[in-house]
Amino acid sequence: MSSKIQKTAYRIKRYYAYVLATIVALTLPFIQIGGNQVFLLSFDKKQLQLLGVAFDMQELYMMPFLLMFMFLGIFAVTAVGGRAWCGWACPQTIFRVIYRDLIEGKLLGMRRIKNKQKDPDYSKAENKTKKIIAITLWSMLAILAASDFMWFFIPPADFFNYLQHPADHSVMIGFVLGVAGFLVYDVVILQENFCIYVCPYSRVQSVLYDDDTIQAIYNEKRGGKIYDENHNKLVFKKSDVPEGYDCTACQSCVTVCPTHIDIRKGMQLECINCLECVDACTTVMGKLGKESLVQWSSTNEVVHGKKTKLIRGKTIMYAAALIIIVGMLFVMGGKKEYMLLNINKTTQLYKVKPDGEVVNNFLVLFQNTQRKTYTYHLAVIGKYKGKIEIKRFYPFKLSHGKLAKKVVQLSTKERLVENARKDTPLTVTLKSWAEEDPKKVFVIRKAVFVYPRSDKLKK
């Protein structure tokens, strides 16, 4: 039974999850679709690249929905599986496991993985030297982690190019070193206190939990009551356990806990659902031929003897909300524009020529956001097509990423409005398109054409 327990330990499964999460985090910035990143929020290019589609600054209305999807997704996972994110995918937890279990434990032999309560004895010169080695190794990994974080804001190709000219990109380098420095402080000094005192997630988990939430639960029916209602300890050793109960008071579930809690007290905000306590009790009880007293299950199943309901009102509402958000993202993504066009009126309100022609000047900004060179056109459409003409504009070519500013005149000789009291603003619809791909690369904008009052039109 012992070998079987080791193969199915949650700790080993978590390690697989950590490896997968690390591979995804390190490779995602290098994956491109159609020349764009899978995910990139570039302040330099003023773009959000998502699944190979580039969205410009005026299209960042999608960001709130992406954030809502992320937070609601984590909340939904919490309602179903407790703090599964914290124990199985959170970078903070992964970093601590790498430093504490891998570097200090496996590589340097400074601590036992099964005892996270006992720190290394730094009075020994050997451990002091190992501590320096551990911090050095983690510092190098922290720089890699900080760089990986930066790759979601600066494409890796640009990042490595900038590193060749450090004097011109001191802000970026300073940011990477600053993040790396924080990660060293966080992982080496702050440790799990980040999860307990800094991270706000632990403060909201109790609101998200219900009796069907799957979490690490101690079974008092089989193990006995270890603490009273005021969290005063009732059991100190095996002889204190009431007759007929299975707990051996071995403290294995306590010593293995990275956040230094006793799972037998019940649900606590410090618990990150790493399930180390489940593995520890499974090993001890397995030697006695019994099932673990600490289980990854729900309150309904362990305490009330009811079946866990994964599909319930709360999870249905989360699923519905996530589906709606995804639907809105697809709808908004379908409205994506493949060029940038901003139209602003100049300081001059209008000009009336001697022949009665009315002219409005506009400053028009074009930007080619695609990877091809396009020839851009501009025309009046809609109600005032044929009545208001465009002057001082000729089709022009623009290469990838380039901008062009044009002063464009909208002009008319027709009597559009008869108003003797005041000037009249008219909404004119303008369309710009690329000659090479007019069905895909086009935008429509509104411009306000100010038409003067009647007395100003008299010759």
Side-chain angles (χ1 to χ4, degrees):
M1 179 176 288
S2 178
S3 61
K4 182 179 179 181
I5 291 171
Q6 292 302 319
K7 289 181 181 179
T8 58
Y10 286 115
R11 177 169 55 86
I12 303 302
K13 294 177 181 178
R14 278 183 19 250
Y15 289 167
Y16 288 135
Y18 296 162
V19 170
L20 178 61
T22 302
I23 292 173
V24 171
L26 289 174
T27 59
L28 201 61
F30 293 90
I31 300 175
Q32 292 188 341
I33 302 175
N36 293 320
Q37 309 295 125
V38 173
F39 179 85
L40 175 72
L41 181 58
S42 173
F43 296 102
D44 182 28
K45 298 180 180 180
K46 299 180 176 63
Q47 281 186 341
L48 166 66
Q49 295 181 11
L50 183 63
L51 298 178
V53 180
F55 297 91
D56 298 296
M57 287 298 292
Q58 73 271 24
E59 298 171 310
L60 289 189
Y61 48 74
M62 297 183 68
M63 280 300 298
F65 293 97
L66 288 173
L67 293 174
M68 282 192 291
F69 180 82
M70 181 180 71
F71 283 108
L72 276 177
I74 293 177
F75 290 166
V77 169
T78 304
V80 174
R83 291 178 69 177
W85 162 260
C86 297
W88 294 70
C90 178
Q92 166 73 14
T93 303
I94 296 175
F95 294 157
R96 277 294 295 161
V97 168
I98 291 174
Y99 179 76
R100 181 192 61 231
D101 294 356
L102 179 60
I103 297 178
E104 287 190 336
K106 287 292 185 181
L107 295 182
L108 301 177
M110 297 171 64
R111 64 164 76 235
R112 292 176 64 245
I113 293 177
K114 293 183 179 180
N115 190 346
K116 296 178 174 58
Q117 309 298 314
K118 186 178 180 180
D119 291 326
D121 183 3
Y122 292 114
S123 63
K124 299 180 180 178
E126 177 187 5
N127 282 341
K128 289 182 180 179
T129 302
K130 288 182 177 180
K131 182 74 171 181
I132 295 174
I133 296 174
I135 294 175
T136 302
L137 290 175
W138 172 245
S139 297
M140 291 188 288
L141 292 177
I143 292 175
L144 174 61
S147 300
D148 181 51
F149 174 74
M150 185 62 69
W151 294 338
F152 289 95
F153 300 91
I154 299 175
D158 294 345
F159 178 86
F160 291 115
N161 183 46
Y162 295 161
L163 287 181
Q164 299 176 24
H165 309 280
D168 297 330
H169 303 283
S170 56
V171 174
M172 182 199 76
I173 294 174
F175 190 85
V176 170
L177 294 177
V179 172
F182 171 77
L183 290 179
V184 173
Y185 168 77
D186 173 35
V187 171
V188 177
I189 299 175
L190 197 57
Q191 303 178 4
E192 276 74 19
N193 288 327
F194 180 91
C195 306
I196 299 171
Y197 301 110
V198 180
C199 180
Y201 184 39
S202 62
R203 300 300 187 271
V204 302
Q205 64 171 331
S206 59
V207 180
L208 303 173
Y209 280 24
D210 57 32
D211 286 347
D212 286 300
T213 298
I214 300 174
Q215 55 187 304
I217 299 178
Y218 170 72
N219 191 337
E220 288 186 355
K221 292 180 179 179
R222 290 183 49 234
K225 196 169 185 180
I226 308 298
Y227 292 87
D228 63 17
E229 290 74 12
N230 298 317
H231 283 183
N232 294 316
K233 199 165 188 178
L234 301 173
V235 175
F236 296 90
K237 53 187 177 179
K238 175 59 179 174
S239 58
D240 295 328
V241 180
E243 187 177 350
Y245 292 99
D246 294 335
C247 183
T248 63
C250 65
Q251 302 292 313
S252 294
C253 61
V254 178
T255 57
V256 79
C257 178
T259 57
H260 299 191
I261 65 172
D262 190 337
I263 192 62
R264 297 171 297 179
K265 287 184 179 181
M267 190 189 79
Q268 297 154 75
L269 61 84
E270 296 90 347
C271 179
I272 59 173
N273 218 4
C274 66
L275 307 183
E276 291 274 13
C277 53
V278 179
D279 286 340
C281 192
T282 299
T283 301
V284 174
M285 288 291 105
K287 293 177 181 178
L288 301 176
K290 298 179 180 180
E291 188 181 2
S292 174
L293 297 174
V294 186
Q295 300 174 348
W296 192 37
S297 188
S298 68
T299 302
N300 269 340
E301 195 160 334
V302 174
V303 179
H304 304 304
K306 300 178 181 179
K307 188 177 181 180
T308 303
K309 294 182 179 179
L310 295 179
I311 301 176
R312 53 192 188 273
K314 183 180 289 188
T315 57
I316 291 173
M317 286 190 293
Y318 277 124
L322 291 172
I323 290 172
I324 291 172
I325 292 174
V326 171
M328 294 183 72
L329 284 171
F330 273 103
V331 170
M332 292 181 176
K335 296 180 179 179
K336 176 186 165 41
E337 296 178 337
Y338 293 89
M339 62 175 287
L340 176 66
L341 181 68
N342 288 329
I343 302 176
N344 296 296
K345 195 163 177 48
T346 61
T347 54
Q348 185 182 34
L349 196 60
Y350 55 79
K351 180 179 180 181
V352 181
K353 294 185 176 181
D355 61 356
E357 181 182 4
V358 179
V359 178
N360 281 210
N361 291 327
F362 295 86
L363 181 62
V364 183
L365 173 67
F366 295 83
Q367 183 178 8
N368 182 356
T369 59
Q370 304 306 297
R371 296 188 174 274
K372 299 179 181 179
T373 297
Y374 286 118
T375 304
Y376 291 106
H377 294 253
L378 186 66
V380 175
I381 63 173
K383 180 179 179 181
Y384 295 103
K385 179 180 180 181
K387 298 179 180 179
I388 296 179
E389 299 178 353
I390 296 178
K391 292 188 174 182
R392 293 187 59 181
F393 177 84
Y394 302 96
F396 67 99
K397 290 184 178 294
L398 201 58
S399 57
H400 162 63
K402 297 298 182 180
L403 297 98
K405 291 182 179 180
K406 303 286 184 179
V407 176
V408 177
Q409 290 185 341
L410 296 185
S411 169
T412 184
K413 292 183 179 180
E414 297 190 20
R415 286 278 183 146
L416 300 178
V417 179
E418 291 291 344
N419 191 331
R421 297 177 56 192
K422 61 180 181 177
D423 299 334
T424 305
L426 305 175
T427 302
V428 180
T429 304
L430 298 173
K431 179 180 179 180
S432 180
W433 68 94
E435 181 180 304
E436 292 78 5
D437 194 359
K439 292 184 179 180
K440 177 182 177 182
V441 185
F442 73 91
V443 294
I444 296 175
R445 294 286 185 269
K446 303 289 185 181
V448 176
F449 184 90
V450 180
Y451 196 80
R453 63 179 188 265
S454 301
D455 62 300
K456 291 189 177 182
L457 297 174
K458 294 179 180 178
K459 297 181 181 180

